[in-house]
Amino acid sequence: MTTICFINQKGGCGKTSSCLHSAGAFAALGQSVLLVDIDPQGSLGQGFFGPAAVESLASSQTVAALFDDDAFLSDPQHIIRPTGFEGIMIAPTNHHLAAFNQPSPEKTGMRQFVVRDFLEGLSGFDLVLIDCPPNLYACSWAAMIAADYVVIPVPPEDFGIHGLPAVHQAIDQARTLNPGLRRLGHLVTRCDRRLVVHRNYEQTLRTAYRRMVLETVIPEANAFKIAVTARKPVEFFDPQSRAAELTRQLAQEILHRIADRTARRRAA
Ligand SMILES: Nc1ncnc2c1ncn2[C@@H]1O[C@H](COP(=O)(O)OP(=O)(O)OP(=O)(O)O)[C@@H](O)[C@H]1O
Ligand SMILES: [Mg+2]
């Protein structure tokens, strides 16, 4: 089982969309995927079930239960539910998690490890995708402690790129507790290559981070938004669309990168 967290302190850069739509593509490629929503906004679960259904979940039915010392979970796996799509399960969250998303994560004691411990108790999944909130607080930290890889979605614009040093600093800090954590790459999202500014920023990112930028670029495309309105990953909404095709390409690139890294580690 390989765990990837999608992280960036920039809001609206496409973290949740990357998780939701790539889950569809991974499932289409035969992977068994667990989505873990660790953002108190609860957007990932809402993408499948709608806002009302997710907001009405009790704390004990969500990821918040993992963080709550007072919650008695006879079996933490009970927070995992089907999405309705074959090969995709989800551990949803909602506002109950907000109380645990503290700004100084390294001071949260054993809570730093609750996601890692939860995942260690699971079997039967090939991939775990964790959707993080737009900050580097306790929830993103717990995700990095639990993960094998980080993907950093980045829109090719000023505000998207300027927060990146803080993200890399947080990854370096997390590696002191989780030395196995690796950067899978930056993912250029919401890109409109007709715009000179987007083309220039993409180039800036590739010059600065070289191979640490995934080759696949996710464009700004209505199909992603419409699919979510239909409560589906784009793969299941419109598999023939360019958006679905590029998301499959992304999923394949991620799987190749993981296979490549694993082979190199074994050879070393
Ligand atoms: N490639 C895309 N094309 C079109 N719209 C997109 C794309 N990616 C994301 N969006 C839209 O932009 C908005 C923000 O995207 P998303 O929720 O994925 O970002 P996020 O990084 O998870 O946000 P937050 O920081 O609030 O968690 C959503 O309305 C989503 O539908
Ligand atoms: Mg989000």
Side-chain angles (χ1 to χ4, degrees):
M1 191 168 90
T2 302
T3 300
I4 306 171
C5 64
F6 289 73
I7 212 160
N8 195 336
Q9 58 178 340
K10 161 108 183 92
C13 63
K15 297 177 289 297
T16 303
S17 302
S18 301
C19 283
L20 185 138
H21 296 299
S22 68
F26 283 124
L29 292 170
Q31 301 282 305
S32 172
V33 181
L34 172 65
L35 291 168
V36 177
D37 189 357
I38 201 156
D39 179 357
Q41 295 181 95
S43 314
L44 189 57
Q46 292 180 16
F48 290 101
F49 311 120
V54 172
E55 276 306 292
S56 64
L57 292 174
S59 175
S60 59
Q61 298 174 295
T62 72
V63 168
L66 304 176
F67 287 80
D68 188 351
D69 298 333
D70 296 330
F72 175 71
L73 282 178
S74 54
D75 182 355
Q77 297 191 28
H78 287 160
I79 67 169
I80 299 174
R81 58 183 64 217
T83 59
F85 298 98
E86 201 184 334
I88 311 177
M89 304 281 277
I90 186 168
T93 199
N94 61 16
H95 63 279
H96 291 297
L97 188 61
F100 301 105
N101 196 24
Q102 289 150 353
S104 299
E106 61 288 349
K107 294 182 188 156
T108 54
M110 292 311 287
R111 285 198 184 127
Q112 298 171 90
F113 306 106
V114 293
V115 180
R116 185 193 67 184
D117 294 347
F118 167 61
L119 296 181
E120 275 177 5
L122 301 180
S123 59
F125 296 105
D126 300 310
L127 278 177
V128 179
L129 310 179
I130 310 180
D131 182 23
C132 294
N135 52 57
L136 301 168
Y137 299 168
C139 289
S140 299
W141 179 260
M144 287 193 288
I145 301 303
D148 302 298
Y149 294 103
V150 183
V151 169
I152 309 166
V154 192
E157 294 182 5
D158 247 6
F159 293 135
I161 286 175
H162 283 161
L164 289 180
V167 175
H168 285 285
Q169 204 182 350
I171 295 169
D172 287 337
Q173 277 170 0
R175 280 168 55 92
T176 61
L177 288 181
N178 177 15
L181 182 67
R182 300 273 185 277
R183 293 164 175 87
L184 199 60
H186 302 74
L187 169 63
V188 178
T189 53
R190 314 202 59 180
C191 183
D192 183 347
R193 279 183 167 154
R194 291 170 306 181
L195 302 178
V196 175
V197 64
H198 277 201
R199 293 202 301 271
N200 286 348
Y201 270 108
E202 184 189 338
Q203 198 47 54
T204 304
L205 196 70
R206 291 192 188 281
T207 305
Y209 293 101
R210 297 164 186 271
R211 277 183 39 77
M212 272 302 103
V213 183
L214 289 151
E215 280 171 32
T216 309
V217 169
I218 297 298
E220 182 79 14
N222 274 338
F224 290 116
K225 284 182 195 289
I226 301 167
V228 172
T229 310
R231 310 262 175 259
K232 293 178 178 181
V234 72
E235 174 68 31
F236 296 100
F237 179 72
D238 186 359
Q240 308 299 329
S241 63
R242 179 84 178 127
E245 186 190 326
L246 284 169
T247 308
R248 284 193 298 273
Q249 188 179 307
L250 170 67
Q252 263 156 347
E253 187 181 359
I254 287 176
L255 292 177
H256 282 145
R257 278 200 178 207
I258 290 171
D260 196 41
R261 299 287 183 82
T262 307
R264 272 193 281 156
R265 250 200 320 278
R266 287 200 180 126

